Amino acid sequence: MIGNRIVPIFVAIGLFFIMVSALEISIGPVSIPVQHLIGEAWGYFHGMRTTDAVVVGAVRLPRWLAAVMIGAGLGSTGAVMQALFRNPMADPAIIGVSSGASLGAVIVIQSSLSQLSQWSTPLGAFTSGIIVVFVIYQLSTYKGRTAIYSLLLAGVAISSFCSAIVTLLLSLAQLETMHEMLFWLIGGLDGITWPSVGIVSIVVLLGLGLYTIQAPSLDIISIGEEQAEGVGVPLQRTKRFLFIISALVVGACVSVSGVIGFIGLIVPHLLRMVVGPRHQFLIPASALGGASLLCLCDVIARMVFEPVELNVGIVTACLGAPFFLYLLRKQDRGIYREEG
């Protein structure tokens, strides 16, 4: 019975993904007909260097694949965070990796280390994001137990501190340096290369596999920690493992694209209403939905003020902020009903 309901949902999401992927690769300053995309990509990887082949193979395919992997990583991690925090308003940024990665990227850019190599800024962002998550986790852990509310409060405090340092560095930066910093703070898919896509793809796919393995434990944890411990789930070890994997996945995504918000909030929350709470289905659905939504947002970012191209993080924020307010209002109404 579950299969009869789930299969059409995945088919619908898959068809939507194919549609937005075709738009993502075909639309731009050089418009390429959808029916020619496969031929141009095939030609590029077999030595053809026409304008259309280079645009598809060297520019748009890596950008599309980066959007797919980053969207999938953020969407699936959002589903994991909402289960661990048992809160529909939780998203990947809640563990502090995004603010930490932003700080690392800004420090590397401000200190001119970004000029040493194209990998300097992504590596600095990734390393700083992981360090901040480690600090937040240590601050919220006492006698081997990590309280969710402590993790949340520590994440808010450390993220605010990182944001303050970023603001300070922005105020001291020169104009050209400031523009480079803003790319990481707003989030974008410009200048994506095949090597960076390869790295983020490996991390995200590995993370998706590990998330799926932990799906039964997430089902129980999302009900309550006491219930999880009561049925034998190694709660602290599972939470620590999932926080580490989430930090690696989000850190890899942010190190490539900068901070792209709200994908991990919107997608798993909406799909939970359709797919249901079982993470065996919710995690892959959130990955596919996140990939689809980020591709769609990137298409919108390129079309809305054409030929000027917006950072995709602006579009996701414009979509996500009203949705977050809707969730907040909905939660408040539920509280008032309970109190009444």
Side-chain angles (χ1 to χ4, degrees), residues 106-245:
V106 167
I107 290 173
V108 170
I109 294 168
Q110 177 69 358
S111 62
S112 300
L113 292 174
S114 59
Q115 299 176 7
L116 297 178
S117 168
Q118 64 173 341
W119 297 102
S120 298
T121 306
L123 182 60
F126 180 81
T127 303
S128 179
I130 298 302
I131 290 173
V132 167
V133 172
F134 175 78
V135 171
I136 290 173
Y137 185 84
Q138 290 298 115
L139 289 173
S140 57
T141 301
Y142 179 70
K143 292 185 177 180
R145 298 184 67 86
T146 304
I148 291 297
Y149 71 89
S150 297
L151 190 70
L152 177 61
L153 294 175
V156 170
I158 298 299
S159 295
S160 298
F161 176 76
C162 291
S163 298
I165 301 300
V166 167
T167 303
L168 173 63
L169 294 175
L170 273 172
S171 64
L172 298 175
Q174 296 180 352
L175 187 59
E176 291 183 3
T177 305
M178 187 182 297
H179 287 162
E180 189 176 354
M181 291 177 178
L182 286 174
F183 167 81
W184 289 94
L185 299 177
I186 299 174
L189 298 172
D190 302 334
I192 297 290
T193 61
W194 281 112
S196 58
V197 169
I199 292 173
V200 75
S201 298
I202 292 170
V203 177
V204 168
L205 291 174
L206 178 62
L208 280 173
L210 295 173
Y211 289 159
T212 305
I213 292 171
Q214 293 294 325
S217 298
L218 284 169
D219 290 342
I220 302 172
I221 292 173
S222 62
I223 298 173
E225 293 190 357
E226 295 80 7
Q227 289 86 341
E229 289 183 323
V231 298
V233 174
L235 185 60
Q236 301 305 318
R237 188 172 65 195
T238 301
K239 287 196 294 187
R240 182 168 56 248
F241 175 77
L242 288 171
F243 284 134
I244 291 172
I245 300 304

Side-chain angles (χ1 to χ4, degrees), residues 17-18 20-28 30 32 34 36-46 48-49 51-70 189-198 200-201 256 295 298 302:
F17 171 72
I18 293 171
V20 295
S21 295
L23 291 175
E24 167 83 343
I25 302 172
S26 64
I27 290 176
V30 178
I32 300 171
V34 173
H36 295 169
L37 294 179
I38 295 177
E40 297 296 347
W42 177 270
Y44 176 80
F45 292 113
H46 287 79
M48 189 168 69
R49 290 299 180 264
T51 300
D52 286 358
V54 172
V55 167
V56 171
V59 179
R60 296 199 186 153
L61 274 180
R63 180 172 181 144
W64 164 74
L65 189 54
V68 169
M69 288 298 154
I70 292 166
L189 298 172
D190 302 334
I192 297 290
T193 61
W194 281 112
S196 58
V197 169
V200 75
S201 298
V256 170
C295 286
D298 195 35
R302 280 188 279 173

